[in-house]
Amino acid sequence: MALDQIGETSDDALLVLYANGDPDAASELTARLVPRLLPFCNRMLRDLAEAEDIVQEAMLRLWKMAPDWVPGAAKPSTWVFRVASNLCTDRLRKRRGIGLDEIAEPVDEAPSAEERLLQAERLSALDHALDQLPERQRQAVVLRHIEGFSNPDIADVLEISVEAVESLTARGKRALASHLAGRKEELGL
Amino acid sequence: MSGSEKSSDDFDLDALFDEARQASPVASSDLMQRISKDAALVQTKEEAVVAPTTSWLKRGFAALGGWPALGGLATAAVTGVYIGFMQPELVNFDANGVELSDFDEAEFFPGDALFFEEG
């Protein structure tokens, strides 16, 4: 398929093209899905190397499943997020028992200015507050408010109803606000 | 997409979410290459499965009907062997396929032969 056409092709159709041997379909799907998948996994695990491993594994499962893909049955994006979400959950379960203090803080590349320091502090506080949420609540909040997924898509990823997603995100957001409330002044919120 | 709903609290969480989104890590070229390599590898394997090379023996076996046909053949062979080893007197059927019992005929009218005799 011509490269200018491939950009307009749906994820669904790209996966079918990939299964039929199209050499460009995989590159396009990778370019569409990975930039969204990586931040989600990184926010779940707070470890970039581990997040990259999970993303690679989730994408590998997508490639393997491509020949059996039923067009229209699901979205490749929600399918791969569901796989990644489950893989993240497995990793977190394995980590259970490790204290929060032992989990690496996000590395700040070059905090030169005061505002940059403050921003890093705010994001770190957000990550910490997210860590306090129950796992499903955290996944729903991140997918909804950071990754920008719609509620039906989150329902598809987490395999729950749209109402349950609404409840999870609302409760999650309230809990986040409550966790961050004490640091409002300090973080410049 | 991302909600524009405001937090019920006195500060705006959405601004913090936006900040987090902008600070998200970018996928490295190394990761993209690893994923592309996996994709190419899986694609090659799938194509190999689509056009398999089978031996003449396997093709012949398939032409005969495969395992289901072999099942029928095995049943017929076992039945043949069983019949072959059976003692002949145990397989005692008449011309109409009715099994003949091993008993003596009772003679209810010992003189009945007389009725058929002329004269």
Side-chain angles (χ1 to χ4, degrees):
Chain A
M1 182 177 264
L3 281 175
D4 56 339
Q5 283 178 304
I6 220 165
E8 295 159 13
T9 311
S10 69
D11 292 355
D12 222 17
L14 281 174
L15 199 55
V16 174
L17 280 171
Y18 167 77
N20 290 335
D22 190 302
D24 300 320
S27 309
E28 180 65 20
L29 266 177
T30 304
R32 286 185 195 180
L33 299 176
V34 172
R36 297 177 72 198
L37 204 50
L38 184 66
F40 169 70
C41 294
N42 186 50
R43 204 158 292 283
M44 288 297 109
L45 301 169
R46 295 182 63 196
D47 183 317
L48 188 57
E50 263 194 297
E52 286 189 340
D53 286 349
I54 297 288
V55 170
Q56 188 181 2
E57 175 63 26
M59 291 301 290
L60 180 62
R61 292 188 188 190
L62 183 71
W63 307 137
K64 284 182 176 172
M65 182 276 318
D68 304 319
W69 184 259
V70 180
K75 288 183 185 173
S77 57
T78 54
W79 188 92
V80 81
F81 264 82
R82 189 190 309 156
V83 171
S85 163
N86 290 337
L87 290 171
C88 285
T89 301
D90 288 347
R91 285 284 172 111
L92 290 169
R93 280 182 189 151
K94 278 182 193 162
R95 270 193 207 165
R96 206 171 274 169
I98 299 174
L100 268 180
D101 293 340
E102 292 169 64
I103 298 171
E105 289 288 328
V107 179
D108 193 345
E109 299 289 329
S112 53
E114 191 184 342
E115 177 49 34
R116 201 168 161 73
L117 272 171
L118 196 60
Q119 188 196 34
E121 193 64 25
R122 274 199 298 270
L123 295 179
S124 173
L126 175 65
D127 281 338
H128 255 290
L130 281 169
D131 278 346
Q132 308 305 310
L133 303 183
E135 203 173 301
R136 302 286 274 179
Q137 227 175 66
R138 180 156 46 115
Q139 287 177 333
V141 168
V142 170
L143 286 169
R144 177 82 178 91
H145 295 293
I146 301 180
E147 302 311 323
F149 271 60
S150 67
N151 283 349
D153 281 351
I154 299 170
D156 205 7
V157 171
L158 300 181
E159 296 179 282
I160 53 177
S161 68
V162 174
E163 291 76 23
V165 171
E166 286 166 358
S167 165
L168 278 177
T169 50
R171 277 186 287 137
K173 210 173 167 185
R174 272 200 304 275
L176 273 185
S178 142
H179 284 304
L180 292 167
R183 301 184 64 189
K184 183 175 174 288
E185 295 298 322
E186 177 196 344
L187 299 171
L189 290 166
Chain B
M1 285 293 128
S2 180
S4 57
E5 328 129 35
K6 300 290 172 195
S7 163
S8 57
D9 254 76
D10 58 347
F11 62 90
D12 187 8
L13 268 181
D14 290 329
L16 193 55
F17 290 140
D18 286 342
E19 212 166 32
R21 195 177 309 117
Q22 282 160 19
S24 294
V26 176
S28 65
S29 59
D30 172 58
L31 174 64
M32 299 300 258
Q33 274 175 9
R34 269 155 54 195
I35 292 169
S36 294
K37 228 179 244 181
D38 284 347
L41 204 68
V42 173
Q43 201 173 37
T44 312
K45 276 185 188 167
E46 288 298 334
E47 277 167 6
V49 171
V50 170
T53 50
T54 48
S55 69
W56 64 269
L57 195 64
K58 280 185 182 170
R59 283 199 303 273
F61 180 63
L64 286 173
W67 287 109
L70 195 70
L73 196 65
T75 308
V78 169
T79 309
V81 169
Y82 174 75
I83 291 169
F85 277 95
M86 285 289 288
Q87 291 178 23
E89 59 268 23
L90 294 179
V91 187
N92 194 13
F93 298 99
D94 71 4
N96 296 319
V98 178
E99 191 176 359
L100 298 176
S101 304
D102 191 19
F103 57 80
D104 294 329
E105 282 184 32
E107 207 170 317
F108 296 107
F109 303 103
D112 61 353
L114 295 173
F115 297 117
F116 301 104
E117 288 176 6
E118 287 185 19

